[in-house]
Amino acid sequence: MRLATWNINSVRARVDRAVAFLERTGTDVLALQETKCADAQFPVAPFEAAGYEVAHVGVNQWNGVAVVSRVSLDDVETSFPGQPAFGEKVEARALGATCGGVRVWSLYVPHGREVGDPHYAYKLRWLDELRGRAEGWLADDPAAQVALVGDWNVAPLDTDVWDVAYFAGKTHVTPAERDAFAAFGAAGYTEVTREALPAEHTYTYWDYQRLRFPRNEGMRIDFAYLSPAARARVTGVTIDRDERKGKGASDHVPVVVDLED
């Protein structure tokens, strides 16, 4: 099974690229983040025409996550149990579905905005609650096949940003965020892209401004944490850097994980 995660940065603007990616790569399951649309606005038809089922949660032009699958799409949850709210709303940032026997969670972790901002505290609560739930899933079933994939909005290592000095005092690189990210490893999960791909200058996101992509001034913030049973099936990982090229590209690229049958 080929599983990919991609912050699409508006699925309506990039549905043709998404379907072309699926067909070109033979991806079976695609987790999407930042779809930026309500459920009724999601372009389901092109995915169905390509042979995929769609599960999506979104309420407006912000956030939104989806799972697209051609190997079954069952037991859909549009938030994880205990998912924190920001203000009075539980945002559209997590969607779980069982696809080909793997419990896939498409995750769009809160950005945090600025250190000290209420959104930063919300981000840390969000990650901590997810970690607790993920740990519980393994406690309930150590053989569970779980994939926590998406845009984590954390750069765990200094080499995951193009210039760590530029990010001093900013979100994504603070010790608290990095500790919250690392806690998933302590909970029994393995971030499999780190095992397969080099750490230095391997990015998944480049800002649209200031020629960041041509200069390779990027960030590595899209990851795949897998449970032990799912990790044992991994045969390869790739980052599809070419998807950042050309007209109408997202500012993120797909991260692809291959699992043996």
Side-chain angles (χ1 to χ4, degrees):
M1 187 173 87
R2 175 162 283 180
L3 165 66
T5 179
W6 189 5
N7 180 320
I8 195 76
N9 191 15
S10 178
V11 68
R12 288 179 291 173
R14 297 180 174 86
V15 60
D16 291 343
R17 289 188 75 123
V19 172
F21 166 79
L22 291 170
E23 294 176 340
R24 173 173 59 82
T25 62
T27 293
D28 299 297
V29 182
L30 176 60
L32 294 171
Q33 301 86 44
E34 212 170 354
T35 57
K36 294 186 174 180
C37 65
D39 290 342
Q41 298 172 311
F42 192 98
V44 173
F47 291 102
E48 289 184 339
Y52 293 80
E53 297 178 83
V54 175
H56 174 259
V57 59
V59 295
N60 52 32
Q61 73 271 30
W62 308 110
N63 309 319
V65 285
V67 173
V68 177
S69 173
R70 65 177 180 182
V71 291
S72 77
L73 189 67
D74 301 313
D75 303 322
V76 174
E77 293 180 87
T78 56
S79 63
F80 59 83
Q83 181 174 322
F86 186 63
E88 298 180 354
K89 296 187 298 183
V90 174
E91 297 180 310
R93 291 185 175 275
L95 185 143
T98 301
C99 307
V102 179
R103 189 65 178 166
V104 177
W105 281 93
S106 179
L107 305 170
Y108 181 39
V109 175
H111 181 279
R113 299 179 184 170
E114 295 180 356
V115 177
D117 188 281
H119 207 261
Y120 179 79
Y122 163 58
K123 177 180 189 175
L124 296 178
R125 289 197 309 273
W126 202 96
L127 284 167
D128 185 61
E129 188 63 38
L130 175 62
R131 187 269 317 154
R133 294 295 173 176
E135 189 172 29
W137 296 330
L138 287 186
D140 291 342
D141 181 6
Q145 298 197 44
V146 182
L148 309 173
V149 301
D151 177 358
W152 291 75
N153 269 318
V154 179
L157 302 179
D158 286 354
T159 50
D160 291 333
V161 295
W162 61 273
D163 181 358
V164 71
Y166 174 84
F167 287 90
K170 296 181 173 68
T171 61
H172 293 55
V173 300
T174 64
E177 291 167 289
R178 288 177 169 182
D179 288 347
F181 183 87
F184 288 83
Y189 292 77
T190 299
E191 204 294 289
V192 297
T193 76
R194 186 76 70 194
E195 288 191 321
L197 298 171
E200 191 168 2
H201 306 309
T202 302
Y203 303 134
T204 62
Y205 164 86
W206 299 260
D207 194 282
Y208 290 125
Q209 306 298 317
R210 302 176 184 174
L211 298 175
R212 293 295 192 210
F213 182 64
R215 294 174 177 171
N216 199 30
E217 295 176 349
M219 303 175 69
R220 188 173 186 170
I221 55 177
D222 301 86
F223 296 101
Y225 261 118
L226 270 59
S227 66
R231 177 199 180 191
R233 296 176 57 192
V234 174
T235 59
V237 177
T238 56
I239 292 175
D240 194 343
R241 192 178 188 276
D242 286 347
E243 275 294 341
R244 185 59 175 79
K245 300 176 181 178
K247 184 178 180 180
S250 172
D251 44 5
H252 293 249
V253 295
V255 177
V256 183
V257 179
D258 287 320
L259 305 173
E260 65 182 358
D261 294 334

